[in-house]
Amino acid sequence: MTDVKSMNLSELTEYITSNGFERFRAKQILDWIKRDAHSFDDMTNIPAKLRDFLKADAYLASAEIVRAQHSRIDDTVKYLYKLFDGEYVEGVLMSYHHGRTICISTQVGCKMGCTFCATGKSGFSRSLTASEMVAQIRSAETDCSERISNVVLMGMGEPFDNYDNVIRFLRLVSSEDSLNIGMRHITVSTCGIVPRMYEFADLKLQCGLSVSLHAPDDESRSRTMPINRRYPVAEVIRASRYYTEKTGRRITFEYALIDSENDSDETARSLASLLKGMLCHVNLIPVNNVTGAGYKKSSLKRQKVFVDILSAHGINATVRRTLGSDIDASCGQLRRKYTKGDA
Ligand code: SAH
Ligand code: SF4
């Protein structure tokens, strides 16, 4: 079946004309997609013959919200989406003073197996198409009746393990034919798939990049992030520097503070020397213990000392404000309660 919602205007035109239909119909179909039509029958200004062809040969991807958990302490909403084949992914909608931000998923599960991550623990099923990524945003916009201005690819999955679909998504979602969300309002998060980081930098998309670092040395990083055995710290940092050089954009390093694992004074100092001179920001996140691995958040005092050491060395760092802490708003946690076939 053809995924028409992942196509841009020229691809859709090619698809339509090569099947014997007039080229201007492509724009009409795109307009319906933009208005979030749910079936080809809704596309009333296109001829029945073309609608019948589409019904037989194509599909309209969706991400149906089957559960929405609203936080009682802030405006955060956590969504459970059902995809066309009965798979589930999660998204989190957050409110900041500058507008609505959505965190979406790029894969059902993840292959990377980070020990602290609920998604990594639940295995891998498949990658999402570009249209399924857009659909998560559209469904959330309909649900909250507001425009979403910022997107982060920090939900389930490793974006750079689904590189082509993610790039297609970025181009699609930022185009006028789709949601028209500018690249500067989109952030991709990666665990450090180095070759893809270089490719991504070379595209010069002006997208934000977040790198999940979580430890400044190979021994500790390999313990929690198996991908580090393939792409060690030094290579991840080199690729990160390349990204800032190519795009001029500041990079964000994600760092989950885990009690007695990666939060000592010495670790803070080695992190500071690793990042010295880089155009970057360190986002410290007290770890959520979701995997049964026995991880504990660093104490408030440790968090503060850690930030202070980084700051004293000239490294820009903050402890992330945790939104939706009462609804388990870390991705992978809600979906773990559901598997294909439920809900
Ligand atoms: N695969 C990508 C994006 C999805 S994970 C990546 O790893 O970057 C989004 C972020 O949540 C990553 O920074 C990840 O390291 C972090 N994360 C995962 N589990 C966490 C937990 N239990 N506590 C705190 N942060 C976590
Ligand atoms: Fe995958 Fe990111 Fe979770 Fe690691 S932290 S298992 S890369 S989703």
Side-chain angles (χ1 to χ4, degrees):
M1 295 290 266
T2 305
D3 174 16
V4 286
K5 278 187 163 183
S6 285
M7 291 180 171
N8 60 30
L9 181 59
S10 68
E11 288 162 341
L12 196 56
T13 306
E14 162 64 24
Y15 171 62
I16 296 293
T17 53
S18 67
N19 283 287
F21 298 96
E22 306 118 301
R23 50 189 311 120
F24 75 95
R25 299 289 178 198
K27 181 80 176 108
Q28 289 179 319
I29 296 169
L30 264 193
D31 286 340
W32 283 109
I33 291 174
K34 203 170 169 179
R35 280 147 69 185
D36 207 16
H38 286 284
S39 81
F40 293 114
D41 282 327
D42 289 346
M43 303 182 176
T44 45
N45 61 349
I46 63 172
K49 199 166 162 235
L50 175 52
R51 269 186 271 156
D52 288 343
F53 164 74
L54 291 170
K55 282 194 275 184
D57 195 67
Y59 73 101
L60 293 169
S62 63
E64 184 200 348
I65 295 172
V66 290
R67 228 184 121 173
Q69 267 181 288
H70 294 258
S71 167
R72 282 178 301 275
I73 41 183
D74 52 50
D75 282 341
T76 306
V77 189
K78 177 148 184 158
Y79 295 116
L80 183 69
Y81 296 103
K82 191 174 184 176
L83 306 176
F84 77 96
D85 57 354
E87 293 283 7
Y88 295 99
V89 289
E90 295 177 4
V92 180
L93 181 67
M94 295 157 283
S95 281
Y96 293 104
H97 46 274
H98 54 265
R100 294 271 193 171
T101 297
I102 191 158
C103 170
I104 60 165
S105 293
T106 56
Q107 295 181 313
V108 183
C110 184
K111 294 179 211 154
M112 304 298 139
C114 303
T115 56
F116 46 78
C117 174
T119 304
K121 285 274 163 182
S122 59
F124 174 80
S125 198
R126 69 170 174 89
S127 283
L128 265 57
T129 58
S131 56
E132 287 174 321
M133 297 174 214
V134 177
Q136 294 172 62
I137 308 172
R138 278 194 196 282
S139 296
E141 280 192 336
T142 306
D143 183 72
C144 74
S145 317
E146 260 183 72
R147 184 180 138 78
I148 291 170
S149 49
N150 295 277
V151 180
V152 296
L153 275 60
M154 283 193 191
M156 297 165 61
E158 166 49 44
F160 286 173
D161 184 44
N162 184 17
Y163 188 79
D164 292 346
N165 286 325
V166 163
I167 301 304
R168 176 171 282 277
F169 160 77
L170 294 173
R171 296 216 152 105
L172 198 62
V173 80
S174 58
S175 86
E176 282 180 10
D177 289 328
S178 180
L179 293 175
N180 202 9
I181 300 174
M183 292 283 187
R184 288 185 166 274
H185 297 272
I186 308 176
T187 300
V188 177
S189 179
T190 180
C191 62
I193 311 233
V194 167
R196 297 288 94 76
M197 289 171 72
Y198 283 105
E199 265 182 69
F200 191 60
D202 285 334
L203 293 178
K204 295 193 185 163
L205 291 181
Q206 288 303 308
C207 212
L209 185 65
S210 232
V211 176
S212 299
L213 195 57
H214 306 311
D217 61 276
D218 287 328
E219 197 204 323
S220 166
R221 193 166 190 265
S222 294
R223 206 159 44 228
T224 52
M225 302 182 72
I227 190 71
N228 192 70
R229 291 180 208 132
R230 191 122 158 244
Y231 305 115
V233 173
E235 285 190 33
V236 172
I237 297 300
R238 206 175 301 133
S240 301
R241 283 187 195 278
Y242 186 78
Y243 190 79
T244 58
E245 280 158 22
K246 276 277 158 170
T247 62
R249 297 219 53 182
R250 185 178 81 163
I251 227 163
T252 300
F253 289 104
E254 304 290 332
Y255 195 103
L257 283 168
I258 310 175
D259 178 59
S260 307
E261 170 65 44
N262 63 359
D263 65 347
S264 70
D265 290 4
E266 194 195 337
T267 311
R269 283 191 291 271
S270 82
L271 180 61
S273 78
L274 182 72
L275 304 182
K276 199 165 179 239
M278 267 186 91
L279 182 61
C280 71
H281 179 86
V282 180
N283 215 343
L284 298 161
I285 320 134
V287 75
N288 254 300
N289 180 23
V290 288
T291 59
Y295 293 132
K296 251 177 58 191
K297 286 183 179 44
S298 305
S299 66
L300 284 174
K301 168 130 196 305
R302 266 283 103 217
Q303 295 175 26
K304 184 169 181 324
V305 172
F306 205 89
V307 180
D308 289 347
I309 293 175
L310 293 178
S311 305
H313 286 79
I315 308 287
N316 199 318
T318 44
V319 178
R320 187 196 278 172
R321 186 159 68 102
T322 40
L323 293 174
S325 51
D326 60 329
I327 53 168
D328 282 350
S330 277
C331 276
Q333 296 175 38
L334 181 60
R335 184 237 179 198
R336 277 239 282 186
K337 299 179 191 154
Y338 291 81
T339 44
K340 198 168 167 174
D342 297 344

